[in-house]
Amino acid sequence: MTSNQETFKKIISHAKEYGFIFQSSEIYDGLSAVYDYGPNGVELKNNIKSYWWTSMVQMNENIVGFDASVLMHPKIWKASGHVDAFNDPLIDNKDSKSRYRADVLIEDYVRKIELKINKEIIKSKKRFGDSFDEKQFRKTNSRVLDYERKIKEINTEMKKCFDDDDLVSLKKLIDDLGIVDPVSGSKNWTEIKQFNLMFSTSIGASIDSSSEIFLRPETAQGIFVNFLNVQKSSRKKIPFGIAQIGKAFRNEIVARQFVFRMREFEQMEMQFFVKPGTQSQWYNQWKDTRMKWHQALGLGEENYRFHDHDKLAHYADAACDIEFNFPFGFKELEGIHSRTDFDLSQHEKYSGKKIKYFDPEINESYTPYVVETSIGLDRMFLAILSSSYTEERIDEQNSRLVLKIPDFLAPYKLAILPLVKKDGLPDYANRIFNDLKIHYNISYDEKDAIGRRYRRQDAIGTPLCITVDHDSLKDDKVTVRFRDSMQQIRIDISQLKKEIDDRLSLSNWLD
Ligand code: GAP
Protein backbone atom coordinates (compact mmCIF):
# COMPACT_ATOMS: atom_id res chain seq x y z
CA MET A 1 0.00 0.00 0.00
CA THR A 2 1.40 3.46 -0.90
CA SER A 3 1.61 6.12 1.79
CA ASN A 4 -1.20 8.04 0.03
CA GLN A 5 -3.46 4.99 0.20
CA GLU A 6 -2.63 4.58 3.89
CA THR A 7 -3.43 8.23 4.56
CA PHE A 8 -6.70 7.89 2.67
CA LYS A 9 -7.66 4.90 4.82
CA LYS A 10 -6.89 6.93 7.93
CA ILE A 11 -9.02 9.83 6.66
CA ILE A 12 -11.97 7.47 6.10
CA SER A 13 -11.74 6.04 9.61
CA HIS A 14 -11.24 9.53 11.06
CA ALA A 15 -14.41 10.65 9.27
CA LYS A 16 -16.33 7.86 10.98
CA GLU A 17 -14.75 8.16 14.44
CA TYR A 18 -15.41 11.91 14.64
CA GLY A 19 -18.94 11.89 13.25
CA PHE A 20 -18.35 13.26 9.74
CA ILE A 21 -19.40 10.39 7.48
CA PHE A 22 -20.87 6.92 8.10
CA GLN A 23 -21.56 4.10 5.68
CA SER A 24 -25.28 4.02 4.91
CA SER A 25 -27.24 1.17 6.59
CA GLU A 26 -24.10 0.07 8.41
CA ILE A 27 -25.85 -2.26 10.88
CA TYR A 28 -27.18 -4.19 7.87
CA ASP A 29 -23.63 -4.49 6.51
CA GLY A 30 -23.93 -1.26 4.54
CA LEU A 31 -25.29 -0.14 1.20
CA SER A 32 -22.46 0.24 -1.26
CA ALA A 33 -21.56 3.78 -2.43
CA VAL A 34 -24.22 5.42 -0.27
CA TYR A 35 -23.17 7.46 2.78
CA ASP A 36 -24.71 9.33 5.71
CA TYR A 37 -23.34 12.55 7.14
CA GLY A 38 -22.92 12.68 10.94
CA PRO A 39 -23.23 15.70 13.27
CA ASN A 40 -19.88 17.25 12.26
CA GLY A 41 -20.27 16.21 8.63
CA VAL A 42 -23.63 17.89 8.18
CA GLU A 43 -22.26 21.15 9.64
CA LEU A 44 -19.28 21.15 7.28
CA LYS A 45 -21.55 20.25 4.36
CA ASN A 46 -23.99 23.06 5.17
CA ASN A 47 -21.11 25.53 5.45
CA ILE A 48 -19.81 24.50 2.01
CA LYS A 49 -23.31 24.94 0.55
CA SER A 50 -23.56 28.33 2.15
CA TYR A 51 -20.15 29.38 0.76
CA TRP A 52 -21.21 28.34 -2.74
CA TRP A 53 -24.72 29.81 -2.51
CA THR A 54 -23.58 33.14 -1.06
CA SER A 55 -20.86 33.65 -3.62
CA MET A 56 -22.97 32.37 -6.52
CA VAL A 57 -26.46 33.76 -5.82
CA GLN A 58 -26.21 36.47 -3.16
CA MET A 59 -23.14 38.14 -4.63
CA ASN A 60 -24.26 38.06 -8.29
CA GLU A 61 -27.25 40.23 -9.06
CA ASN A 62 -27.77 38.34 -12.32
CA ILE A 63 -28.03 34.87 -10.74
CA VAL A 64 -31.14 33.61 -8.98
CA GLY A 65 -31.73 30.49 -6.89
CA PHE A 66 -34.01 27.56 -7.61
CA ASP A 67 -35.04 24.21 -6.16
CA ALA A 68 -36.60 21.61 -8.49
CA SER A 69 -38.13 18.31 -7.46
CA VAL A 70 -36.16 15.10 -7.82
CA LEU A 71 -38.99 13.35 -9.66
CA MET A 72 -39.85 14.79 -13.05
CA HIS A 73 -41.81 13.82 -16.14
CA PRO A 74 -40.08 10.80 -17.77
CA LYS A 75 -40.09 12.50 -21.19
CA ILE A 76 -37.55 15.00 -19.81
CA TRP A 77 -34.91 12.26 -19.76
CA LYS A 78 -35.76 11.17 -23.29
CA ALA A 79 -35.41 14.78 -24.46
CA SER A 80 -32.14 15.35 -22.61
CA GLY A 81 -30.58 12.23 -24.14
CA HIS A 82 -30.15 10.43 -20.82
CA VAL A 83 -32.45 7.51 -21.72
CA ASP A 84 -30.41 6.73 -24.84
CA ALA A 85 -26.91 7.90 -24.00
CA PHE A 86 -26.28 8.04 -20.25
CA ASN A 87 -24.43 4.74 -20.25
CA ASP A 88 -21.33 3.05 -18.89
CA PRO A 89 -19.57 0.26 -20.82
CA LEU A 90 -19.76 -2.82 -18.58
CA ILE A 91 -17.97 -6.13 -18.73
CA ASP A 92 -18.51 -9.25 -16.59
CA ASN A 93 -15.98 -11.80 -15.52
CA LYS A 94 -17.48 -15.23 -16.17
CA ASP A 95 -15.54 -16.92 -13.36
CA SER A 96 -15.93 -14.45 -10.51
CA LYS A 97 -19.33 -13.19 -11.75
CA SER A 98 -18.07 -9.68 -10.92
CA ARG A 99 -19.04 -6.71 -13.06
CA TYR A 100 -16.67 -3.87 -14.02
CA ARG A 101 -16.56 -0.71 -16.07
CA ALA A 102 -14.39 -1.53 -19.06
CA ASP A 103 -12.73 1.92 -19.09
CA VAL A 104 -11.94 1.67 -15.37
CA LEU A 105 -10.24 -1.71 -15.84
CA ILE A 106 -8.04 -0.12 -18.48
CA GLU A 107 -7.41 3.00 -16.35
CA ASP A 108 -6.36 0.77 -13.43
CA TYR A 109 -3.95 -1.03 -15.75
CA VAL A 110 -2.48 2.35 -16.75
CA ARG A 111 -2.22 3.35 -13.09
CA LYS A 112 -0.12 0.25 -12.43
CA ILE A 113 2.32 1.35 -15.14
CA GLU A 114 2.43 4.80 -13.54
CA LEU A 115 3.31 3.17 -10.22
CA LYS A 116 6.20 1.39 -11.94
CA ILE A 117 7.46 4.78 -13.14
CA ASN A 118 7.19 6.13 -9.60
CA LYS A 119 9.16 3.17 -8.28
CA GLU A 120 11.97 3.86 -10.76
CA ILE A 121 12.02 7.50 -9.64
CA ILE A 122 12.10 6.63 -5.93
CA LYS A 123 14.91 4.13 -6.52
CA SER A 124 17.03 6.65 -8.39
CA LYS A 125 16.28 9.42 -5.91
CA LYS A 126 17.70 7.19 -3.19
CA ARG A 127 20.76 6.41 -5.27
CA PHE A 128 21.60 9.96 -6.38
CA GLY A 129 20.36 11.94 -3.35
CA ASP A 130 20.25 15.75 -3.69
CA SER A 131 21.77 15.77 -7.17
CA PHE A 132 18.79 13.81 -8.58
CA ASP A 133 16.96 15.74 -11.32
CA GLU A 134 13.50 14.14 -11.81
CA LYS A 135 12.66 16.06 -14.99
CA GLN A 136 15.90 15.03 -16.66
CA PHE A 137 15.46 11.44 -15.46
CA ARG A 138 11.96 11.23 -16.97
CA LYS A 139 13.30 12.56 -20.27
CA THR A 140 16.24 10.18 -20.55
CA ASN A 141 15.67 6.92 -18.66
CA SER A 142 14.84 4.27 -21.26
CA ARG A 143 12.60 2.19 -18.98
CA VAL A 144 10.55 5.24 -17.98
CA LEU A 145 10.29 6.31 -21.62
CA ASP A 146 9.02 2.83 -22.58
CA TYR A 147 6.41 2.94 -19.82
CA GLU A 148 5.26 6.41 -20.89
CA ARG A 149 5.03 5.34 -24.52
CA LYS A 150 2.90 2.36 -23.50
CA ILE A 151 0.55 4.59 -21.47
CA LYS A 152 0.13 6.93 -24.41
CA GLU A 153 -0.66 4.07 -26.78
CA ILE A 154 -3.28 2.62 -24.45
CA ASN A 155 -4.98 5.98 -23.85
CA THR A 156 -5.05 6.78 -27.57
CA GLU A 157 -6.56 3.39 -28.40
CA MET A 158 -9.18 3.66 -25.64
CA LYS A 159 -10.15 7.17 -26.78
CA LYS A 160 -10.53 5.92 -30.36
CA CYS A 161 -12.83 3.09 -29.20
CA PHE A 162 -15.07 5.57 -27.38
CA ASP A 163 -15.05 8.09 -30.23
CA ASP A 164 -16.11 5.34 -32.65
CA ASP A 165 -18.51 3.78 -30.13
CA ASP A 166 -16.62 0.57 -30.85
CA LEU A 167 -17.17 -1.85 -27.95
CA VAL A 168 -15.67 -4.79 -29.85
CA SER A 169 -12.28 -3.05 -30.13
CA LEU A 170 -12.54 -1.97 -26.50
CA LYS A 171 -12.93 -5.62 -25.49
CA LYS A 172 -9.99 -6.52 -27.76
CA LEU A 173 -7.86 -3.91 -25.95
CA ILE A 174 -8.66 -5.57 -22.61
CA ASP A 175 -7.73 -8.97 -24.06
CA ASP A 176 -4.55 -7.69 -25.73
CA LEU A 177 -3.34 -6.06 -22.53
CA GLY A 178 -4.01 -9.32 -20.68
CA ILE A 179 -6.08 -7.52 -18.05
CA VAL A 180 -7.21 -9.90 -15.32
CA ASP A 181 -10.15 -9.74 -12.91
CA PRO A 182 -8.75 -8.04 -9.77
CA VAL A 183 -10.69 -10.51 -7.59
CA SER A 184 -10.12 -13.89 -9.26
CA GLY A 185 -7.19 -13.21 -11.57
CA SER A 186 -9.21 -14.71 -14.45
CA LYS A 187 -9.19 -13.41 -18.04
CA ASN A 188 -12.51 -15.05 -18.87
CA TRP A 189 -14.46 -11.93 -19.92
CA THR A 190 -17.88 -11.45 -21.51
CA GLU A 191 -18.47 -8.97 -24.34
CA ILE A 192 -18.89 -5.32 -23.30
CA LYS A 193 -22.43 -3.93 -23.02
CA GLN A 194 -23.72 -0.43 -22.42
CA PHE A 195 -25.60 -0.02 -19.12
CA ASN A 196 -27.86 2.94 -18.33
CA LEU A 197 -26.98 4.70 -15.09
CA MET A 198 -30.40 6.08 -14.22
CA PHE A 199 -32.36 4.64 -11.30
CA SER A 200 -35.96 4.04 -12.16
CA THR A 201 -39.00 3.74 -9.96
CA SER A 202 -42.73 3.90 -10.55
CA ILE A 203 -45.25 6.58 -9.81
CA GLY A 204 -48.79 5.97 -8.56
CA ALA A 205 -50.42 2.67 -7.64
CA SER A 206 -49.96 0.58 -10.77
CA ILE A 207 -46.56 -0.79 -11.72
CA ASP A 208 -46.43 -0.92 -15.49
CA SER A 209 -44.13 0.60 -18.07
CA SER A 210 -46.29 3.74 -18.38
CA SER A 211 -45.69 4.60 -14.72
CA GLU A 212 -41.90 4.29 -14.88
CA ILE A 213 -40.06 7.44 -13.84
CA PHE A 214 -36.43 8.20 -13.06
CA LEU A 215 -34.53 9.66 -10.14
CA ARG A 216 -32.72 12.65 -11.69
CA PRO A 217 -29.10 11.90 -12.64
CA GLU A 218 -28.30 15.65 -12.68
CA THR A 219 -30.06 18.68 -11.24
CA ALA A 220 -29.64 20.71 -14.43
CA GLN A 221 -32.75 19.48 -16.27
CA GLY A 222 -35.05 20.86 -13.55
CA ILE A 223 -33.63 24.29 -14.37
CA PHE A 224 -33.99 23.91 -18.15
CA VAL A 225 -37.64 22.90 -18.04
CA ASN A 226 -38.36 25.85 -15.74
CA PHE A 227 -36.34 28.36 -17.75
CA LEU A 228 -39.29 30.54 -18.75
CA ASN A 229 -41.02 30.29 -15.33
CA VAL A 230 -37.91 31.59 -13.61
CA GLN A 231 -36.96 34.15 -16.24
CA LYS A 232 -40.42 35.70 -16.38
CA SER A 233 -41.13 35.64 -12.62
CA SER A 234 -37.74 37.11 -11.73
CA ARG A 235 -37.81 39.48 -14.75
CA LYS A 236 -34.21 38.66 -15.61
CA LYS A 237 -32.59 39.68 -18.84
CA ILE A 238 -30.00 37.63 -20.65
CA PRO A 239 -27.22 37.07 -19.63
CA PHE A 240 -28.41 35.62 -16.33
CA GLY A 241 -28.03 32.43 -14.33
CA ILE A 242 -30.13 29.98 -12.31
CA ALA A 243 -28.43 28.17 -9.44
CA GLN A 244 -29.49 25.09 -7.56
CA ILE A 245 -28.22 22.69 -4.90
CA GLY A 246 -29.80 19.26 -4.82
CA LYS A 247 -29.53 15.50 -4.84
CA ALA A 248 -28.73 13.49 -7.94
CA PHE A 249 -28.70 9.72 -8.37
CA ARG A 250 -26.59 7.47 -10.57
CA ASN A 251 -26.40 3.70 -10.46
CA GLU A 252 -22.60 3.77 -10.55
CA ILE A 253 -21.18 0.31 -11.11
CA VAL A 254 -17.66 1.05 -10.06
CA ALA A 255 -18.49 2.83 -6.87
CA ARG A 256 -15.41 3.43 -4.78
CA GLN A 257 -13.04 6.00 -3.35
CA PHE A 258 -15.41 6.82 -0.51
CA VAL A 259 -17.67 9.82 -1.24
CA PHE A 260 -15.87 10.54 -4.51
CA ARG A 261 -18.20 8.29 -6.52
CA MET A 262 -21.57 7.75 -4.91
CA ARG A 263 -24.93 6.47 -6.04
CA GLU A 264 -26.77 9.26 -4.23
CA PHE A 265 -24.92 12.56 -4.12
CA GLU A 266 -25.43 16.29 -4.16
CA GLN A 267 -24.65 18.76 -6.92
CA MET A 268 -24.29 22.54 -6.83
CA GLU A 269 -25.09 23.62 -10.37
CA MET A 270 -25.53 26.93 -12.12
CA GLN A 271 -26.89 27.30 -15.64
CA PHE A 272 -25.92 30.62 -17.22
CA PHE A 273 -28.13 31.65 -20.17
CA VAL A 274 -26.43 33.73 -22.85
CA LYS A 275 -26.98 35.12 -26.31
CA PRO A 276 -25.99 32.68 -29.10
CA GLY A 277 -22.49 33.46 -30.32
CA THR A 278 -21.29 34.73 -26.93
CA GLN A 279 -21.00 31.31 -25.28
CA SER A 280 -17.27 30.93 -25.81
CA GLN A 281 -16.54 34.24 -24.07
CA TRP A 282 -18.78 33.28 -21.13
CA TYR A 283 -17.34 29.78 -20.97
CA ASN A 284 -13.83 31.22 -20.55
CA GLN A 285 -15.05 33.75 -18.03
CA TRP A 286 -16.73 31.06 -15.89
CA LYS A 287 -13.66 28.85 -16.11
CA ASP A 288 -11.63 31.68 -14.68
CA THR A 289 -14.17 32.63 -12.00
CA ARG A 290 -14.64 29.08 -10.78
CA MET A 291 -10.90 28.39 -10.57
CA LYS A 292 -10.43 31.58 -8.53
CA TRP A 293 -13.31 30.54 -6.23
CA HIS A 294 -11.58 27.24 -5.51
CA GLN A 295 -8.17 28.75 -5.04
CA ALA A 296 -9.51 31.37 -2.62
CA LEU A 297 -10.11 28.55 -0.14
CA GLY A 298 -6.39 28.29 0.52
CA LEU A 299 -6.03 24.54 0.02
CA GLY A 300 -2.98 25.17 -2.20
CA GLU A 301 -3.09 26.45 -5.79
CA GLU A 302 -0.88 23.54 -6.87
CA ASN A 303 -3.71 21.16 -5.97
CA TYR A 304 -5.98 22.36 -8.80
CA ARG A 305 -5.68 22.04 -12.54
CA PHE A 306 -7.88 22.21 -15.63
CA HIS A 307 -8.52 19.19 -17.79
CA ASP A 308 -9.95 20.26 -21.15
CA HIS A 309 -12.13 17.57 -22.74
CA ASP A 310 -11.23 16.22 -26.17
CA LYS A 311 -14.27 13.96 -26.23
CA LEU A 312 -17.35 16.13 -25.75
CA ALA A 313 -20.72 15.02 -24.35
CA HIS A 314 -23.59 14.97 -26.83
CA TYR A 315 -24.76 18.42 -25.70
CA ALA A 316 -21.48 20.39 -25.46
CA ASP A 317 -19.35 22.55 -27.78
CA ALA A 318 -16.63 22.96 -25.13
CA ALA A 319 -16.05 21.39 -21.74
CA CYS A 320 -13.44 21.06 -19.03
CA ASP A 321 -13.02 19.78 -15.50
CA ILE A 322 -11.41 21.48 -12.58
CA GLU A 323 -9.42 18.63 -11.08
CA PHE A 324 -8.28 18.43 -7.47
CA ASN A 325 -5.33 16.52 -6.09
CA PHE A 326 -7.22 13.94 -3.99
CA PRO A 327 -5.26 11.31 -1.99
CA PHE A 328 -5.71 9.00 -5.01
CA GLY A 329 -4.43 11.59 -7.52
CA PHE A 330 -5.86 14.43 -9.63
CA LYS A 331 -9.57 13.79 -10.32
CA GLU A 332 -12.61 15.79 -11.40
CA LEU A 333 -14.07 18.10 -8.78
CA GLU A 334 -16.16 20.40 -10.97
CA GLY A 335 -17.30 20.39 -14.59
CA ILE A 336 -17.72 23.51 -16.73
CA HIS A 337 -19.68 22.89 -19.90
CA SER A 338 -20.76 25.03 -22.80
CA ARG A 339 -24.03 23.19 -23.45
CA THR A 340 -25.12 25.16 -26.54
CA ASP A 341 -28.90 25.45 -27.02
CA PHE A 342 -29.21 21.65 -26.95
CA ASP A 343 -31.28 21.25 -23.78
CA LEU A 344 -33.75 24.08 -24.34
CA SER A 345 -34.25 23.08 -27.99
CA GLN A 346 -34.81 19.45 -27.07
CA HIS A 347 -37.40 20.35 -24.43
CA GLU A 348 -39.11 22.63 -26.93
CA LYS A 349 -39.26 19.73 -29.38
CA TYR A 350 -40.43 17.06 -26.91
CA SER A 351 -42.90 19.21 -24.96
CA GLY A 352 -44.31 21.00 -27.99
CA LYS A 353 -44.09 24.28 -25.99
CA LYS A 354 -42.16 27.29 -27.22
CA ILE A 355 -39.07 27.98 -25.09
CA LYS A 356 -37.68 31.20 -26.53
CA TYR A 357 -36.34 34.37 -24.98
CA PHE A 358 -37.47 37.71 -26.37
CA ASP A 359 -34.44 39.98 -26.35
CA PRO A 360 -35.66 43.60 -26.05
CA GLU A 361 -32.23 44.93 -27.04
CA ILE A 362 -32.36 43.44 -30.54
CA ASN A 363 -36.12 43.00 -30.76
CA GLU A 364 -35.76 39.32 -31.58
CA SER A 365 -36.62 35.95 -30.03
CA TYR A 366 -34.05 33.17 -29.78
CA THR A 367 -33.15 30.00 -27.88
CA PRO A 368 -30.46 30.98 -25.37
CA TYR A 369 -27.15 29.14 -25.16
CA VAL A 370 -26.07 27.77 -21.80
CA VAL A 371 -22.80 27.70 -19.91
CA GLU A 372 -22.98 25.40 -16.92
CA THR A 373 -20.83 25.12 -13.81
CA SER A 374 -21.45 21.88 -11.90
CA ILE A 375 -19.67 20.86 -8.75
CA GLY A 376 -20.21 17.78 -6.60
CA LEU A 377 -20.81 18.84 -3.01
CA ASP A 378 -19.54 15.52 -1.66
CA ARG A 379 -16.37 15.78 -3.73
CA MET A 380 -15.81 19.30 -2.42
CA PHE A 381 -16.30 17.89 1.09
CA LEU A 382 -13.72 15.18 0.40
CA ALA A 383 -11.27 17.72 -1.06
CA ILE A 384 -11.52 19.81 2.12
CA LEU A 385 -11.40 16.86 4.50
CA SER A 386 -8.44 15.18 2.82
CA SER A 387 -6.35 18.31 2.36
CA SER A 388 -6.96 19.51 5.90
CA TYR A 389 -6.06 16.19 7.56
CA THR A 390 -2.67 16.76 9.21
CA GLU A 391 -0.62 14.55 11.50
CA GLU A 392 1.71 16.85 13.38
CA ARG A 393 4.57 16.16 15.76
CA ILE A 394 4.54 18.64 18.63
CA ASP A 395 7.69 17.53 20.48
CA GLU A 396 9.67 14.33 21.14
CA GLN A 397 6.82 12.63 22.99
CA ASN A 398 3.67 14.19 21.61
CA SER A 399 1.92 14.43 18.30
CA ARG A 400 -1.53 15.58 17.34
CA LEU A 401 -4.06 15.05 14.62
CA VAL A 402 -5.58 18.26 13.36
CA LEU A 403 -8.08 19.10 10.64
CA LYS A 404 -6.90 22.43 9.24
CA ILE A 405 -10.28 23.18 7.66
CA PRO A 406 -10.62 26.77 6.36
CA ASP A 407 -11.87 28.54 9.51
CA PHE A 408 -15.20 29.78 8.17
CA LEU A 409 -16.15 26.26 7.01
CA ALA A 410 -15.33 24.44 10.26
CA PRO A 411 -18.27 22.51 11.86
CA TYR A 412 -17.79 24.37 15.14
CA LYS A 413 -16.34 27.86 15.04
CA LEU A 414 -15.26 27.73 18.66
CA ALA A 415 -15.23 25.59 21.76
CA ILE A 416 -15.83 26.95 25.22
CA LEU A 417 -13.90 25.11 27.91
CA PRO A 418 -14.02 25.83 31.65
CA LEU A 419 -10.61 24.84 33.03
CA VAL A 420 -12.21 22.86 35.87
CA LYS A 421 -15.74 21.64 36.50
CA LYS A 422 -16.14 23.64 39.75
CA ASP A 423 -15.56 27.01 41.46
CA GLY A 424 -18.14 28.76 39.29
CA LEU A 425 -16.12 28.32 36.06
CA PRO A 426 -18.85 26.27 34.25
CA ASP A 427 -21.43 29.01 35.02
CA TYR A 428 -19.15 31.70 33.64
CA ALA A 429 -18.36 29.60 30.55
CA ASN A 430 -22.05 28.88 30.02
CA ARG A 431 -22.80 32.60 30.04
CA ILE A 432 -20.31 33.14 27.18
CA PHE A 433 -21.79 30.12 25.38
CA ASN A 434 -25.33 31.53 25.68
CA ASP A 435 -24.25 35.00 24.53
CA LEU A 436 -22.53 33.70 21.40
CA LYS A 437 -24.61 30.68 20.37
CA ILE A 438 -26.98 32.77 18.28
CA HIS A 439 -24.05 33.83 16.11
CA TYR A 440 -22.01 30.65 15.85
CA ASN A 441 -22.16 26.91 16.17
CA ILE A 442 -20.25 26.40 19.43
CA SER A 443 -19.05 23.29 21.23
CA TYR A 444 -19.11 23.26 25.04
CA ASP A 445 -16.84 20.74 26.73
CA GLU A 446 -15.97 20.38 30.43
CA LYS A 447 -14.86 16.72 30.52
CA ASP A 448 -11.20 15.58 30.87
CA ALA A 449 -7.95 17.52 31.15
CA ILE A 450 -7.69 20.68 29.07
CA GLY A 451 -4.98 19.18 26.80
CA ARG A 452 -7.23 16.29 25.83
CA ARG A 453 -10.07 18.68 25.13
CA TYR A 454 -7.82 20.74 22.84
CA ARG A 455 -6.92 17.54 20.96
CA ARG A 456 -10.60 16.63 20.54
CA GLN A 457 -11.32 20.05 19.04
CA ASP A 458 -8.22 19.84 16.79
CA ALA A 459 -9.49 16.51 15.46
CA ILE A 460 -12.76 18.09 14.27
CA GLY A 461 -11.13 21.30 13.05
CA THR A 462 -12.44 23.85 15.58
CA PRO A 463 -10.39 27.00 14.88
CA LEU A 464 -10.66 28.66 18.32
CA CYS A 465 -10.83 27.33 21.87
CA ILE A 466 -11.87 29.73 24.62
CA THR A 467 -10.68 28.67 28.06
CA VAL A 468 -12.22 30.10 31.21
CA ASP A 469 -9.97 29.92 34.30
CA HIS A 470 -10.04 31.25 37.84
CA ASP A 471 -8.55 34.61 36.76
CA SER A 472 -11.44 35.07 34.31
CA LEU A 473 -13.79 35.48 37.28
CA LYS A 474 -11.69 38.43 38.49
CA ASP A 475 -10.56 40.19 35.28
CA ASP A 476 -13.21 39.12 32.72
CA LYS A 477 -10.48 37.84 30.41
CA VAL A 478 -10.31 34.43 28.76
CA THR A 479 -7.60 32.49 26.94
CA VAL A 480 -8.07 32.12 23.21
CA ARG A 481 -6.12 29.21 21.71
CA PHE A 482 -5.65 28.99 17.94
CA ARG A 483 -5.97 25.61 16.28
CA ASP A 484 -3.18 25.84 13.69
CA SER A 485 -0.46 27.71 15.58
CA MET A 486 -1.56 26.48 19.04
CA GLN A 487 -0.67 30.01 20.13
CA GLN A 488 -2.64 31.35 23.11
CA ILE A 489 -3.60 34.94 23.86
CA ARG A 490 -5.49 36.53 26.70
CA ILE A 491 -8.46 38.61 25.62
CA ASP A 492 -11.17 40.70 27.32
CA ILE A 493 -14.57 39.05 26.87
CA SER A 494 -16.00 42.33 25.57
CA GLN A 495 -13.62 41.92 22.57
CA LEU A 496 -14.47 38.28 21.98
CA LYS A 497 -17.25 38.69 19.41
CA LYS A 498 -15.20 41.06 17.27
CA GLU A 499 -12.13 38.80 17.40
CA ILE A 500 -14.24 35.84 16.29
CA ASP A 501 -16.02 37.82 13.58
CA ASP A 502 -12.75 39.10 12.16
CA ARG A 503 -11.36 35.61 11.85
CA LEU A 504 -14.27 33.34 11.15
CA SER A 505 -17.25 34.90 9.46
CA LEU A 506 -18.16 33.91 5.92
CA SER A 507 -18.89 37.52 5.00
CA ASN A 508 -15.40 38.60 6.06
CA TRP A 509 -13.91 35.81 4.00
CA LEU A 510 -15.95 36.72 0.91
CA ASP A 511 -15.19 40.39 1.36
N1 GAP B 1 -25.06 18.70 -15.17
C1 GAP B 1 -23.79 18.29 -15.58
C2 GAP B 1 -23.28 17.13 -14.86
O1 GAP B 1 -23.99 16.47 -14.12
P1 GAP B 1 -21.12 15.72 -14.49
O2 GAP B 1 -19.69 16.02 -14.89
O3 GAP B 1 -21.68 14.39 -14.81
O4 GAP B 1 -21.98 16.89 -15.12
C3 GAP B 1 -20.95 17.18 -12.34
O5 GAP B 1 -21.25 15.95 -12.92
C4 GAP B 1 -20.23 17.00 -11.02
O6 GAP B 1 -21.02 16.16 -10.17
C5 GAP B 1 -18.89 16.30 -11.13
O7 GAP B 1 -17.86 17.22 -11.41
C6 GAP B 1 -18.73 15.69 -9.75
O8 GAP B 1 -18.18 16.65 -8.85
C7 GAP B 1 -20.15 15.40 -9.34
N2 GAP B 1 -20.45 13.96 -9.51
C8 GAP B 1 -20.78 13.32 -10.65
N3 GAP B 1 -21.00 12.02 -10.43
C9 GAP B 1 -20.80 11.82 -9.11
C10 GAP B 1 -20.88 10.67 -8.24
N4 GAP B 1 -21.23 9.49 -8.70
N5 GAP B 1 -20.60 10.84 -6.92
C11 GAP B 1 -20.27 12.06 -6.43
N6 GAP B 1 -20.19 13.17 -7.20
C12 GAP B 1 -20.44 13.06 -8.51
mmCIF file of all heavy atoms in Angstrom, residues 110 173 230 367:
data_model
loop_
_atom_site.group_PDB
_atom_site.id
_atom_site.type_symbol
_atom_site.label_atom_id
_atom_site.label_comp_id
_atom_site.label_asym_id
_atom_site.label_seq_id
_atom_site.Cartn_x
_atom_site.Cartn_y
_atom_site.Cartn_z
ATOM 1 N N VAL A 110 -3.383 1.212 -16.505
ATOM 2 C CA VAL A 110 -2.481 2.348 -16.752
ATOM 3 C C VAL A 110 -1.874 2.841 -15.434
ATOM 4 O O VAL A 110 -0.688 3.159 -15.346
ATOM 5 C CB VAL A 110 -3.248 3.490 -17.468
ATOM 6 C CG1 VAL A 110 -2.469 4.791 -17.439
ATOM 7 C CG2 VAL A 110 -3.558 3.092 -18.907
ATOM 8 N N LEU A 173 -8.942 -4.588 -26.681
ATOM 9 C CA LEU A 173 -7.863 -3.910 -25.953
ATOM 10 C C LEU A 173 -7.652 -4.574 -24.585
ATOM 11 O O LEU A 173 -6.518 -4.821 -24.164
ATOM 12 C CB LEU A 173 -8.224 -2.418 -25.785
ATOM 13 C CG LEU A 173 -7.194 -1.528 -25.077
ATOM 14 C CD1 LEU A 173 -5.856 -1.519 -25.808
ATOM 15 C CD2 LEU A 173 -7.718 -0.083 -24.963
ATOM 16 N N VAL A 230 -38.845 30.821 -14.451
ATOM 17 C CA VAL A 230 -37.907 31.590 -13.614
ATOM 18 C C VAL A 230 -37.595 32.933 -14.265
ATOM 19 O O VAL A 230 -37.610 33.979 -13.613
ATOM 20 C CB VAL A 230 -36.598 30.797 -13.364
ATOM 21 C CG1 VAL A 230 -35.614 31.619 -12.546
ATOM 22 C CG2 VAL A 230 -36.904 29.487 -12.650
ATOM 23 N N THR A 367 -33.399 31.000 -28.934
ATOM 24 C CA THR A 367 -33.147 29.996 -27.884
ATOM 25 C C THR A 367 -31.789 30.326 -27.273
ATOM 26 O O THR A 367 -30.779 30.308 -27.976
ATOM 27 C CB THR A 367 -33.087 28.576 -28.499
ATOM 28 O OG1 THR A 367 -34.253 28.393 -29.302
ATOM 29 C CG2 THR A 367 -33.018 27.520 -27.423
#
